[in-house]
Coordinates of all heavy atoms in Angstrom, one line a residue:
L78 N -8.1 -11.5 -8.7 CA -6.8 -12.3 -8.8 C -6.0 -11.8 -9.9 O -4.8 -11.8 -9.8 CB -7.2 -13.8 -8.8 CG -7.8 -14.4 -7.6 CD1 -8.1 -15.9 -7.9 CD2 -6.8 -14.3 -6.4
E79 N -6.6 -11.5 -11.1 CA -5.9 -11.1 -12.2 C -5.2 -9.8 -12.0 O -4.2 -9.5 -12.7 CB -6.8 -11.0 -13.4 CG -7.4 -12.3 -13.9 CD -8.6 -12.2 -14.8 OE1 -9.0 -11.0 -15.2 OE2 -9.2 -13.2 -15.2
R80 N -5.7 -9.0 -11.1 CA -5.1 -7.6 -10.9 C -4.4 -7.5 -9.5 O -4.1 -6.3 -9.1 CB -6.2 -6.6 -11.1 CG -6.6 -6.4 -12.6 CD -8.0 -5.8 -12.7 NE -8.4 -5.9 -14.1 CZ -8.9 -7.0 -14.7 NH1 -9.1 -8.1 -14.0 NH2 -9.3 -6.9 -16.0
D81 N -4.3 -8.6 -8.8 CA -3.8 -8.5 -7.4 C -4.5 -7.5 -6.5 O -3.9 -6.7 -5.9 CB -2.2 -8.2 -7.5 CG -1.6 -8.5 -6.2 OD1 -2.0 -9.4 -5.5 OD2 -0.5 -7.8 -5.9
I82 N -5.8 -7.7 -6.5 CA -6.7 -6.9 -5.7 C -7.2 -7.6 -4.5 O -7.9 -8.6 -4.7 CB -7.9 -6.3 -6.5 CG1 -7.5 -5.5 -7.7 CG2 -8.9 -5.6 -5.6 CD1 -8.6 -5.1 -8.7
P83 N -6.8 -7.3 -3.3 CA -7.2 -8.1 -2.1 C -8.5 -7.7 -1.5 O -8.9 -8.4 -0.6 CB -6.0 -7.8 -1.2 CG -5.6 -6.4 -1.5 CD -5.8 -6.3 -3.0
A84 N -9.2 -6.6 -2.0 CA -10.3 -6.1 -1.3 C -11.4 -5.7 -2.2 O -11.2 -5.1 -3.2 CB -10.0 -5.0 -0.3
I85 N -12.6 -6.1 -1.9 CA -13.9 -5.6 -2.6 C -14.6 -4.6 -1.7 O -14.7 -4.9 -0.5 CB -14.8 -6.8 -2.8 CG1 -14.1 -7.9 -3.7 CG2 -16.1 -6.3 -3.4 CD1 -14.8 -9.2 -3.8
V86 N -15.0 -3.5 -2.2 CA -15.7 -2.5 -1.4 C -17.2 -2.5 -1.9 O -17.4 -2.3 -3.1 CB -15.1 -1.1 -1.6 CG1 -15.9 0.0 -0.9 CG2 -13.7 -1.0 -1.2
R87 N -18.1 -2.7 -0.9 CA -19.5 -2.7 -1.3 C -20.2 -1.7 -0.4 O -20.0 -1.6 0.8 CB -20.0 -4.1 -1.0 CG -19.5 -5.2 -1.9 CD -19.8 -5.1 -3.3 NE -21.2 -5.3 -3.5 CZ -21.9 -5.2 -4.6 NH1 -21.2 -4.9 -5.7 NH2 -23.2 -5.3 -4.7
G88 N -21.1 -1.0 -1.0 CA -22.0 -0.1 -0.3 C -23.2 -0.8 0.2 O -23.8 -1.7 -0.5
L89 N -23.6 -0.5 1.4 CA -24.9 -1.1 2.0 C -25.8 0.1 2.1 O -25.6 1.0 2.9 CB -24.6 -1.8 3.3 CG -23.7 -3.0 3.3 CD1 -23.4 -3.5 4.7 CD2 -24.2 -4.1 2.4

Side-chain angles (χ1 to χ4, degrees):
L78 292 175
E79 291 164 7
R80 289 159 186 81
D81 195 28
I82 299 172
I85 299 166
V86 176
R87 296 293 296 178
L89 296 178

